[in-house]
Amino acid sequence: MTGRIVAPDDGGIAEAVELLRAESVVAFPTETVYGLGADAFSARAIGEVYRLKNRPSWNPLIVHVADVEAARKLAAEWPAAADRLAAAFWPGPLTLVVRRAEHLTGVGAGNATIALRIPAHEVALRLLAASGLPLAAPSANRSEGISPTTAGHVLRSLPDVPLVLDGGPSSWGIESTVLDLTTAVPTLLRPGALALRTLRDVTGSIALRDAEAADGTARPSPGMSRRHYAPRATLRWVGDANRADKTDKTGVLTYEGKEVEGAEILSADPREYAADLYAALHRLDDAGVTEILVQEPPDGEDWLAIRDRLSRAAAK
Ligand code: AMP
Ligand code: MG
């Protein structure tokens, strides 16, 4: 069976709600990437998410909710920082990790915590409201693959998803920033769409988990990262894509100011670069190249999430 892409009109939303209530899964647009949604309380639907994605069971899921009230109901504890961050950034691409309410099992990969956010996408919010369900939703792609930023990307990676609500291209195009609020100082678990400088205005200091990201300007070491976000082609990170060896099966990904003939050229603005990154990797894969040379992006905290994704895509 192959899935269908449907318009997110009343009929499309109703069909999606019916599938979710029947403990099936539905792909839906968010402002970060497309999510593969399941009723967070349904063991059967959650199992289907892990199966379709071939996702390892230790990797927990983010739960999407309609409002702060719904988030609090899924948490055992709701720290003051969560209120401040939610007020400032929700709906939006920030995921908060808090202690999990005991009655919610299955989404946390056995953790005592839960990751929550309110997505800033009109279609996602209508789906949450119409279903009345908290929706566990990882990115709607095979595990380790490139995240989908269009409805078409979803079915290319997961042809068996029964329904994809089409909300157009995701505006941020990169996953949410994940912040752990169960530590004394909030800890960055995953760099993402929202830049750290923006979050610090609300939280004060933020702890970084690994040495790699310690100063935000350090060069990640691709070989050490867990493979994720990867195209089919081998991805190679280079200091100067103009001078690197190429064959006729080599694709190049670069950005304005570092142009290379025949390359995918992204913006030199990190927000715009991130918004086009996954679509560019999908295009290079579709062009049938066997190797993608990535011009190393600039240093600096604003490029942290992009460097994280590219180094993971390059990992063996
Ligand atoms: P994905 O939904 O595939 O974009 O990735 C979800 C990510 O959210 C995970 O890989 C973790 O980084 C984070 N996450 C989800 N749930 C938790 C949790 N309970 N504790 C810590 N991190 C979490
Ligand atoms: Mg993912």
Side-chain angles (χ1 to χ4, degrees), residues 53 55 138-139 141 147 175 190 228-229:
K53 280 183 61 86
R55 184 176 175 101
S139 54
N141 55 278
S147 301
E175 292 80 0
R190 175 175 77 182
H228 207 139
Y229 313 105

Side-chain angles (χ1 to χ4, degrees), residues 3-17 26-29 34 121-124 126-127 151 155 162-168:
R4 279 183 308 126
I5 295 177
V6 303
D9 52 18
D10 289 351
I13 296 278
E15 218 180 314
V17 168
V26 167
F28 64 93
Y34 274 65
H121 195 293
E122 178 257 334
V123 174
R126 272 167 47 224
L127 182 65
L155 284 190
L163 192 80
V164 185
L165 290 171
D166 189 352

Side-chain angles (χ1 to χ4, degrees), residues 84-95:
R84 289 198 304 274
L85 286 162
F89 301 113
W90 280 1
L94 172 66
T95 297

